[in-house]
Amino acid sequence: MRIYKWLIGLVSAIFFIMIIAWLSSYFYTPATPWYGALVKPRAMLKPLSYDICEIVVYLFTALALAKLIVKRKFNLAFFFILAAGLLSVVFLVCFFSLHSLFAAAAVLAAVLVLDTAVLLKALFNDPLCAAFYAPIFAWHIYLFCTTV
């Protein structure tokens, strides 16, 4: 029964992640002349490395959401993770469609606030969920540092 609950949790989490990835694919366009003209920091990953990191972040997000779904902890942390995913799409809109670095940085700052709340709550209540969410937090810090 426990494996069945984990499978249901993973399928539900992956469904949400696929929706976010699908929405993100409409706005993620790094091949534009505007993006090519930006001065990028040395810490910026190559496209293949970036894609691999995104896949890893998606997997950890699925595990963190599945952990919350299995334990039926639909508290603020669950909704903060969902909001952070939606704000990630807003970040892509601001950055690639609107070409606004300031708006993109502001959205990423909001994502980091949500991430901090999720991580702190998970550290005290669910250490395994915190372990799943820590790489996501680190990825968002990296994105913030390379965007600002």
Side-chain angles (χ1 to χ4, degrees):
M1 186 66 169
R2 184 157 169 82
I3 292 173
Y4 178 72
K5 288 170 72 174
W6 264 100
L7 286 176
I8 295 293
L10 280 173
V11 167
S12 302
I14 290 172
F15 179 71
F16 166 74
I17 290 168
M18 294 307 290
I19 290 172
I20 295 297
W22 174 69
L23 289 171
S24 298
S25 69
Y26 285 113
F27 302 108
Y28 180 66
T29 54
T32 60
W34 175 82
Y35 183 75
L38 289 176
V39 177
K40 295 164 195 69
R42 286 196 283 186
M44 194 71 173
L45 293 172
K46 302 290 184 218
L48 180 62
S49 302
Y50 186 88
D51 292 342
I52 291 170
C53 287
E54 277 290 318
I55 291 169
V56 170
V57 166
Y58 283 152
L59 291 175
F60 276 108
T61 304
L63 289 172
L65 281 173
K67 178 79 169 98
L68 293 173
I69 291 169
V70 167
K71 294 294 183 179
R72 297 180 190 259
K73 292 184 179 177
F74 296 106
N75 53 20
L76 282 179
F78 182 81
F79 295 109
F80 282 179
I81 293 173
L82 297 180
L86 293 174
L87 281 177
S88 296
V89 175
V90 173
F91 161 75
L92 292 174
V93 170
C94 292
F95 192 78
F96 288 108
S97 296
L98 302 177
H99 305 281
S100 175
L101 296 175
F102 296 115
V107 170
L108 274 180
V111 169
L112 282 176
V113 168
L114 292 173
D115 284 347
T116 303
V118 169
L119 197 57
L120 287 175
K121 183 163 179 50
L123 279 173
F124 292 112
N125 296 335
D126 195 353
L128 184 60
C129 187
F132 290 151
Y133 204 73
I136 302 162
F137 184 67
W139 178 249
H140 287 153
I141 289 173
Y142 167 78
L143 287 178
F144 185 77
C145 291
T146 56
T147 301
V148 176

